[in-house]
Amino acid sequence: MRSNNRRGLISGTGLIVAGMTATLIALVFPIWSYADRSGTGVQTLNASTVSTQYGPLSGLDREFITKVRLAGLWELPAGQQALQKGTSQPVHTAGEHLVEGHTFLDARVRNVAARLNLELPNQPTEEQRSWLATLNTAQGEEYDRQFANLLRKAHGKVFSVVAQVRASTRNSLVRDLADDANSTVLDHIKVLEATGVVDFDALANDAASASPPPLTSSPA
């Protein structure tokens, strides 16, 4: 009888130990499963980050600064052109906002780049030049439509980058620039939509099919 009690005690203890072991494995496994085993995430961020007196400067930060400069290189002249070629007052108003906003942002981004010792592009990308070429050849109401949709699409893409940078940057200069860019880009989105010729279905389809852009390797 005493032997049976001892075996029962040992058996019960074994079950408890086994249960605790299973629980521990269940707790540890998710941590291991979601660990950064592929060299992504924080490790990649740190690998592309350089130190500055204003805080760490990541690859995404540098990409953002470059994108702000590139946006101004084609959207500023597009805004100036809209003042001349636009056929409606809302298009003229959008042009005015683009000129004012990108004049301000371009001065800001050049100041930030100089303080961080970053090189900036001086020419629009090939794609941006093609957009300007499209606007150059468009006339009348077709110009209004092309202007509003090309600029609205471009601002939507920049807006998502601004949000990502503002949420993640550890650099004070980049943080302040993101605040300015956020206000400016949102203003431009609103005035472009106010033209009444933006194709929202096309924007939604483009956003659904787009993939996140890779980080650029801007000069440090």
Side-chain angles (χ1 to χ4, degrees):
M1 185 71 175
R2 185 176 303 168
S3 175
N4 289 338
N5 287 340
R6 185 180 300 111
R7 284 196 299 271
L9 178 61
I10 294 174
S11 177
T13 302
L15 289 174
I16 294 174
V17 171
M20 292 178 65
T21 302
T23 301
L24 180 60
I25 292 174
L27 291 173
V28 172
F29 181 74
I31 298 175
W32 178 85
S33 297
Y34 293 101
D36 182 17
R37 302 189 309 279
S38 60
T40 59
V42 175
Q43 289 185 6
T44 299
L45 175 66
N46 290 336
S48 63
T49 297
V50 296
S51 298
T52 78
Q53 61 179 306
Y54 307 100
L57 185 71
S58 71
L60 180 61
D61 294 337
R62 297 194 295 276
E63 178 184 28
F64 165 66
I65 293 170
T66 300
K67 283 184 178 292
V68 172
R69 172 63 171 171
L70 285 170
L73 288 175
W74 87 276
E75 292 171 13
L76 177 55
Q80 294 170 331
Q81 186 187 67
L83 295 174
Q84 303 297 322
K85 296 182 64 174
T87 66
S88 69
Q89 184 55 49
V91 171
H92 290 165
T93 298
E96 291 173 355
H97 281 240
L98 260 67
V99 171
E100 293 174 2
H102 284 291
T103 298
F104 166 71
L105 272 186
D106 194 62
R108 287 281 290 112
V109 75
R110 286 188 286 110
N111 177 270
V112 168
R115 295 167 73 179
L116 294 173
N117 195 31
L118 294 177
E119 295 180 10
L120 292 176
N122 290 315
Q123 296 293 330
T125 66
E126 183 177 350
E127 183 179 38
Q128 291 169 336
R129 291 195 295 271
S130 73
W131 294 337
L132 287 172
T134 297
L135 294 178
N136 286 336
T137 59
Q139 301 294 331
E141 293 182 358
E142 174 63 14
Y143 174 83
D144 293 350
R145 188 182 68 81
Q146 292 282 5
F147 168 79
N149 283 280
L150 284 172
L151 272 297
R152 173 59 181 82
K153 179 179 178 180
H155 279 81
K157 290 183 177 180
V158 172
F159 197 52
S160 63
V161 175
V162 173
Q164 184 181 4
V165 170
R166 184 60 183 84
S168 65
T169 186
R170 294 171 287 172
N171 187 282
S172 61
L173 291 184
V174 174
R175 192 176 301 118
D176 290 343
L177 180 62
D179 284 340
D180 291 335
N182 181 73
S183 299
T184 301
V185 173
L186 181 58
D187 171 69
H188 292 176
I189 286 175
K190 289 180 177 179
V191 294
L192 288 165
E193 292 174 349
T195 61
V197 293
V198 170
D199 187 342
F200 289 99
D201 289 338
L203 289 175
N205 291 334
D206 181 73
S209 62
S211 58
L215 292 180
T216 58
S217 181
S218 302

